[in-house]
Amino acid sequence: MKIINTTTISDNVKDMCIEANYYLSTDMNSALKNAINTEKSELGKKILNQLQENLDIADKEMIPICQDTGMAVFFVELGQDVHIEGGSLTDAINEGVRRGYTDGYLRKSVVGDPIERVNTKDNTPAVIHYDIVPGDELKITIAPKGFGSENMSRIFMLKPADGIEGVKDAILTAVKDAGPNACPPMVVGVGIGGTFEKSALMAKKALTREFSERPTIPWVKDLEDEMLEKINKLGIGPGGLGGTTTALAVNINTYATHIAGLPVAINICCHVNRHTTRVM
Amino acid sequence: MEQRITTPITSEVTSNLSAGDYCYITGYIYVARDAAHKRMDEALNKGEELPIPIENETIYYMGPSPAREGRPIGSAGPTTASRMDKYAPRLLDLGLKAMIGKGKRTKEVIDAVVRNNAVYFAAVGGAGALLSKCIKSSEVICYDDLGAEAIRKLYVEDFPVIVVVDSRGNNLYETAIKEFASL
């Protein structure tokens, strides 16, 4: 059994909040850079170049990549042989968020109640998804999520008869409707199967997958390739101002589902697809 | 076409702007987003004055991240304009001349842009670090309690924007997409 103290967890979470908001992952960085060479629109190229410049400034001058530093979303994999010492794990993560968003000059974008809407002033509470896994490690992924793109996400409860064509239509509809609002070029996370909430969770988690990691199920891999090509033919382009780079990746996760259903969730992320992982 | 414009923006200027023009704005602009718009709307409903001058002024839909010591502002890119669609026509009818944001607008907003010879600009979404470099000063004018959503007055220099909806109602989001669509 491994013992992990909540102080260690808070310290790591604090650093992860800052890291995710100032630096993009290597795969996101190179996908954005490569897009400049393939983009057909002159204005589109200009915008993609500005996004590169933006990343450089964020890095060198310590200014968050985007002012919407997001609601802090976590995927936590807790090994069943880990013992957490020093208090509640959830409290420790929220304490890390509180310190990260304050010390890191990140925007506090969370209101404590969806109707009364009073800002909590420290970006807590976070949205935390726990998974109990075998082993003695604690793996924490943070994915701060901005709401320009979050607001354009969709769930479709399709009928089994709609099949894969129905899934394709659902993805294209969501991306088309999102258009310029979601700050393209976007990353499209898709969850197919499960239940209502399982599909949404899979779509969100798909956004954190490295682009080089591909699905093992052949039809899923093919669907990712086909949808990326189709989305980039929609014409939306960088900033939604026309072009051939509308999405950088389509990441799809699947799960078993019920005989009567075919849930499809599409979680759209902007080009600032932030995520970082640490294992303790 | 590239154009350099200074605020306050007059009808003479907006008449010469066309959807697709790349513009650099210099001068004072105001910052307001969701909560500030709601409050301004409530003030008008109660017959009160707006807390900012509106005639020929520009509103930037934005909520910055906190400024580090010695800097005017933090990251400062545009937020989605459609959330302000409910309030924008009323402000345009009162004299607001330009809006800076990102994303689609409703027909009601576009009609109000045409009716008032105004303009809707887009700034590049997600380029908040880059755009912050064009902001030379920032001052909270009112609604301080709203934090990142307070109304601010900024002085900007060569702030880059693109005309999306011009005073004739042309909409770049619709025309540009058609040009590159091949599905």
Side-chain angles (χ1 to χ4, degrees):
Chain A
M1 193 174 70
K2 185 190 271 179
I3 294 171
I4 303 178
N5 195 282
T6 47
T7 313
T8 312
I9 296 165
S10 298
D11 289 349
N12 274 285
V13 166
K14 177 203 150 195
D15 291 346
M16 288 164 77
C17 291
I18 296 170
E19 191 184 306
N21 276 295
Y22 285 88
Y23 319 101
L24 275 191
S25 59
T26 318
D27 59 335
M28 272 302 297
N29 246 314
S30 42
L32 270 171
K33 210 169 265 172
N34 293 340
I36 300 172
N37 301 321
T38 54
E39 176 54 52
K40 299 261 189 334
S41 149
E42 280 312 307
L43 180 56
K45 264 187 203 293
K46 186 170 177 154
I47 291 169
L48 289 171
N49 275 308
Q50 287 178 338
L51 297 183
Q52 282 302 313
E53 210 183 320
N54 186 59
L55 290 173
D56 288 345
I57 293 171
D59 180 346
K60 294 200 182 86
E61 304 196 25
M62 285 304 278
I63 303 171
I65 303 166
C66 177
Q67 75 290 337
D68 185 354
T69 51
M71 190 160 190
V73 177
F74 288 88
F75 289 99
V76 178
E77 287 179 22
L78 177 64
Q80 55 197 28
D81 298 328
V82 174
H83 175 69
I84 307 287
E85 195 184 69
S88 137
L89 175 54
T90 299
D91 289 351
I93 292 174
N94 277 317
E95 176 59 22
V97 169
R98 187 172 293 122
R99 280 163 46 203
Y101 275 73
T102 306
D103 298 358
Y105 293 86
L106 304 176
R107 197 179 77 184
K108 288 79 180 167
S109 311
V110 173
V111 292
D113 179 286
I115 297 300
E116 291 170 350
R117 307 198 74 82
V118 178
N119 198 301
T120 62
K121 297 206 164 76
D122 59 10
N123 222 53
T124 65
V127 174
I128 311 169
H129 306 290
Y130 289 105
D131 217 351
I132 308 293
V133 299
D136 65 352
E137 286 178 343
L138 173 65
K139 184 176 168 188
I140 299 181
T141 298
I142 180 177
K145 190 66 168 73
F147 258 55
S149 56
E150 190 73 355
N151 280 336
M152 306 317 289
S153 303
R154 303 277 293 272
I155 285 194
F156 296 83
M157 298 304 282
L158 299 181
K159 297 175 181 67
D162 294 327
I164 196 160
E165 291 308 316
V167 172
K168 291 177 193 174
D169 284 349
I171 298 170
L172 283 180
T173 300
V175 172
K176 253 191 254 179
D177 290 351
N181 294 31
C183 289
M186 43 185 118
V187 178
V188 184
V190 182
I192 306 172
T195 46
F196 180 78
E197 85 288 1
K198 176 71 179 175
S199 64
L201 201 52
M202 285 193 291
K204 172 77 73 201
K205 201 167 185 182
L207 292 172
T208 65
R209 194 217 295 163
E210 285 232 8
F211 296 157
S212 58
E213 253 179 66
R214 300 301 310 275
T216 49
I217 305 168
W219 74 263
V220 180
K221 183 171 177 285
D222 292 346
L223 185 62
E224 287 188 352
D225 294 338
E226 182 185 339
M227 292 321 294
L228 181 60
E229 196 184 323
K230 284 200 164 134
I231 288 168
N232 284 330
K233 284 184 176 167
L234 290 173
I236 297 167
L241 298 165
T244 53
T245 317
T246 299
L248 299 170
V250 178
N251 286 358
I252 302 175
N253 284 341
T254 60
Y255 195 72
T257 190
H258 188 278
I259 48 172
L262 175 50
V264 180
I266 298 112
N267 195 197
I268 294 179
C269 192
C270 59
H271 55 82
V272 192
N273 180 27
R274 297 163 286 207
H275 51 87
T276 185
T277 299
R278 283 192 190 184
V279 180
M280 281 155 240
Chain B
M1 189 167 121
E2 272 197 12
Q3 300 212 40
R4 282 179 196 280
I5 49 186
T6 51
T7 61
I9 298 172
T10 61
S11 286
E12 206 180 355
V13 172
T14 52
S15 299
N16 286 317
L17 294 175
S18 296
D21 284 354
Y22 202 96
C23 301
Y24 295 93
I25 299 175
T26 295
Y28 286 102
I29 63 174
Y30 291 92
V31 170
R33 52 172 289 156
D34 308 52
H37 274 80
K38 183 165 184 268
R39 244 185 230 185
M40 284 197 285
D41 199 57
E42 285 163 359
L44 290 171
N45 288 344
K46 282 187 263 177
E48 295 167 6
E49 294 264 306
L50 285 175
I52 55 168
I54 202 82
E55 183 80 27
N56 290 342
E57 295 296 346
T58 300
I59 292 182
Y60 181 21
Y61 301 140
M62 191 271 286
S65 65
R68 284 181 188 274
E69 289 74 17
R71 294 188 192 169
I73 205 157
S75 194
T79 195
T80 309
S82 62
R83 294 194 315 272
M84 270 54 77
D85 282 355
K86 188 180 164 188
Y87 312 109
R90 189 178 199 177
L91 296 178
L92 288 162
D93 288 340
L94 287 170
L96 176 69
K97 212 58 172 170
M99 302 163 286
I100 305 171
K102 56 141 174 136
K104 300 173 203 175
R105 308 307 302 261
T106 55
K107 186 176 178 296
E108 287 71 27
V109 175
I110 295 174
D111 288 348
V113 166
V114 174
R115 181 164 73 237
N116 295 291
N117 200 5
V119 61
Y120 170 50
F121 295 111
V124 176
L130 175 75
L131 291 168
S132 77
K133 305 295 287 177
C134 305
I135 299 170
K136 302 303 168 186
S137 72
S138 165
E139 180 195 350
V140 173
I141 295 288
C142 59
Y143 305 161
D144 199 6
D145 60 303
L146 296 179
E149 294 202 72
I151 294 185
R152 291 164 185 271
K153 187 179 185 181
L154 308 182
Y155 187 80
V156 296
E157 261 174 33
D158 290 330
F159 189 87
V161 293
I162 298 139
V163 178
V164 171
V165 179
D166 65 25
S167 58
R168 273 93 58 211
N170 297 306
N171 185 346
L172 182 65
Y173 285 142
E174 285 175 6
T175 52
I177 286 175
K178 279 186 194 137
E179 194 185 332
F180 290 94
S182 61
L183 193 65

